[in-house]
Amino acid sequence: MRNLKEGIRKQFYTELGKFIAPEGYVEHREADSSPTDYTFKKNVKPGVVWSLHSHLGHSKPPYAVYTIMACRYEAATERLRTFLEKHQITLISNAPVGFGNSVERYTQQKHSVLVSSENIQEAAQQTADRFKEAESKYLLPRIDQAVAVDEYLTKRPHHWPTGDLFNCCVTILSYGLLTNDRALVQKGIERTFEILNKPGYSQRNRDFFEAIRKAIEHEFI
């Protein structure tokens, strides 16, 4: 059964790669990724990368195709990295700036695509079509980081690109650093603690946020 799944997996992702290649996506293998996970990336514009991450679920066919889409602001990630290094903040060693979500959350069809040996090409086409639909609804409107920054500053967490306070903090902070906007940097940390200090809100990463606040006070105030 394992050999069957492996065979279907290889054929399926080969076909999927063909369908999304015309859009500029190429397969990318992360050094620490599982051999059963597949990633395709696209350089959308300087400093911005979109990606599709996928794997097959279920132990027996038909296998469910689970797909995540993501945006990474590479220029902002690099600017944040230099800031963290300058202030010797090591609580989180890798702090990517971006967001991601399930493809099915942004498509009309909410159930997973199912793939077996009988429908590999069809399933790959369905997956590609759904990804393109979700891409236009979720990734494209936020191709400019300023849009995501505004959402984190003005919308409630359940309307954020992703409902994670860490992403909120680093997205605003990195954009302020990238654009040399001190006021925005300050707004970012204020917004972070506005949410963090709400009764009952998770205190995950609080030490990191505290370190960021001290670094901002040291550098800008």
Side-chain angles (χ1 to χ4, degrees), residues 84-171:
L84 296 180
E85 287 185 354
K86 177 181 178 180
H87 294 280
Q88 300 180 331
I89 298 174
T90 59
L91 291 166
I92 296 179
S93 58
N94 180 27
V97 179
F99 58 89
N101 221 316
S102 165
V103 165
E104 273 71 29
R105 185 171 180 179
Y106 290 87
T107 57
Q108 289 186 336
Q109 297 293 331
K110 300 301 181 183
H111 60 275
S112 298
V113 173
L114 298 177
V115 59
S116 66
S117 57
E118 288 77 30
N119 74 331
I120 291 175
Q121 190 171 40
E122 178 187 351
Q125 180 70 74
Q126 288 179 349
T127 301
D129 290 344
R130 290 190 187 188
F131 176 61
K132 291 175 185 177
E133 178 188 352
E135 179 190 72
S136 67
K137 295 177 180 178
Y138 183 65
L139 299 182
L140 184 59
R142 301 174 176 92
I143 190 171
D144 292 319
Q145 189 176 346
V147 175
V149 167
D150 183 67
E151 290 179 312
Y152 283 122
L153 284 172
T154 63
K155 295 184 177 181
R156 294 182 177 181
H158 62 278
H159 289 304
W160 287 352
T162 181
D164 187 316
L165 189 57
F166 174 83
N167 285 38
C168 169
C169 177
V170 299
T171 300

Side-chain angles (χ1 to χ4, degrees), residues 30-68:
E30 302 284 356
D32 58 348
S33 66
S34 166
T36 60
D37 292 344
Y38 281 75
T39 298
F40 298 86
K41 291 188 174 184
K42 172 184 180 178
N43 293 312
V44 187
K45 69 175 189 175
V48 180
V49 175
W50 289 350
S51 57
L52 178 157
H53 308 272
S54 185
H55 70 276
L56 301 186
H58 299 176
S59 59
K60 297 179 181 180
Y63 303 109
V65 181
Y66 296 110
T67 308
I68 299 292

